[in-house]
Amino acid sequence: MGKSESLEEIHREIAECTNGDLYMSRKLTVPGEGPVDARVMFVGEAPGEKEDSEGRPFVGPSGRLFDKLLKKNGIDRAEVFITGVVKCRPPDNRNPQAHEIAACNTYLERQFDVIQPEVICALGSIALKTLLGPKASLNKVRGRPLLRNGITYYALYHPAAVFYRDELMEVLKKDMQGFAAFLQKMGLSRRGLPASAKAAEGFGTPHYAAEGRPFAGQE
Ligand code: URA
């Protein structure tokens, strides 16, 4: 109960937030949604037009693809927490800028603190770099578990990327299938971190990010 109250508090603050400059053009904030005890979190980029109108994440065209992929792979949307690195829509759906991500980052970190997910899945390069550092390359690390500070990260292409690059559809489909298999293999212990670390070891050498040199020595 205490946990969900805290999440509500964070989301109330987001609704009134005037950090950065994106609040000036937003209709609604999109704090994210899902259960407070979700074991898996998806972190996307920024709300689009439909998300901005509805105040909910991934409800536009890329959300429809995302939902389809979740469903096809047996991941229940109602059981995961879905959010983005910024909670307000950037004008014309441009990429959020570094200062906008920084202005919003405290909310994402507080959501992690309250939810304490075992697995955090970054959707797209902006989410990946926000979570693991600017040198993390989506092409190099996507589609496999990455351990850092006792949390398992996993990176996939953002569903919207497929709309610009057809050839990514098959990659995203395959990666989501791999991600679902990984979640299943983990057994998703509610107790969390040791179980996730162990399961990640079963998939080969984890990619610890060396201080200042993310993914040093990894392809
Ligand atoms: N991040 C996204 O990429 N899309 C959303 O709808 C919300 C957050």
Side-chain angles (χ1 to χ4, degrees):
M1 194 56 196
K3 266 181 143 195
S4 56
E5 277 169 0
S6 301
L7 199 52
E8 282 163 14
E9 173 56 30
I10 297 165
H11 293 191
R12 257 198 305 276
E13 280 183 42
I14 291 171
E16 292 168 6
C17 180
T18 54
N19 297 343
D21 46 19
L22 295 179
Y23 77 93
M24 288 188 263
S25 52
R26 77 179 175 221
K27 284 190 188 136
L28 292 174
T29 55
V30 182
E33 65 186 22
V36 69
D37 61 351
R39 289 169 287 175
V40 179
M41 276 181 81
F42 284 93
V43 180
E45 190 178 308
E49 187 177 9
K50 192 133 180 8
E51 289 81 12
D52 180 57
S53 308
E54 295 192 13
R56 295 185 57 215
F58 286 95
V59 290
S62 60
R64 277 196 293 281
L65 172 59
F66 180 60
D67 283 353
K68 221 160 129 183
L69 291 171
L70 291 182
K71 212 171 198 167
K72 191 159 192 289
N73 290 289
I75 300 172
D76 185 351
R77 178 167 168 142
E79 282 195 1
V80 298
F81 194 93
I82 304 169
T83 188
V85 295
V86 300
K87 318 299 192 195
C88 294
R89 182 192 181 199
D92 303 320
N93 293 352
R94 64 161 169 75
N95 288 344
Q97 294 170 8
H99 70 278
E100 293 160 347
I101 294 171
C104 223
N105 204 243
T106 166
Y107 297 122
L108 186 59
E109 286 180 358
R110 287 167 62 194
Q111 287 174 319
F112 290 153
D113 283 348
V114 171
I115 297 166
Q116 299 195 351
E118 292 166 57
V119 179
I120 300 175
C121 180
L123 294 170
S125 177
I126 289 183
L128 175 69
K129 288 177 192 297
T130 301
L131 295 172
L132 290 183
K135 291 185 195 163
S137 154
L138 186 60
N139 284 333
K140 290 182 181 168
V141 307
R142 48 149 271 274
R144 56 202 158 107
L146 311 154
L147 274 181
R148 189 175 200 181
N149 300 331
I151 307 264
T152 305
Y153 293 87
Y154 211 100
L156 304 176
Y157 279 113
H158 192 289
V162 168
F163 299 137
Y164 304 104
R165 291 175 59 193
D166 285 348
E167 75 277 13
L168 295 186
M169 179 62 102
E170 284 314 308
V171 181
L172 177 59
K173 277 185 180 168
K174 206 162 150 257
D175 283 353
M176 186 63 97
Q177 211 175 350
F179 181 57
F182 170 72
L183 293 181
Q184 201 166 27
K185 183 152 181 168
M186 280 182 67
L188 287 173
S189 153
R190 285 221 169 247
R191 298 236 167 260
L193 304 181
S196 63
K198 208 164 146 206
E201 277 163 17
F203 281 80
T205 311
H207 303 266
Y208 290 97
E211 194 55 38
R213 294 180 59 216
F215 311 110
Q218 304 296 333
E219 277 309 297

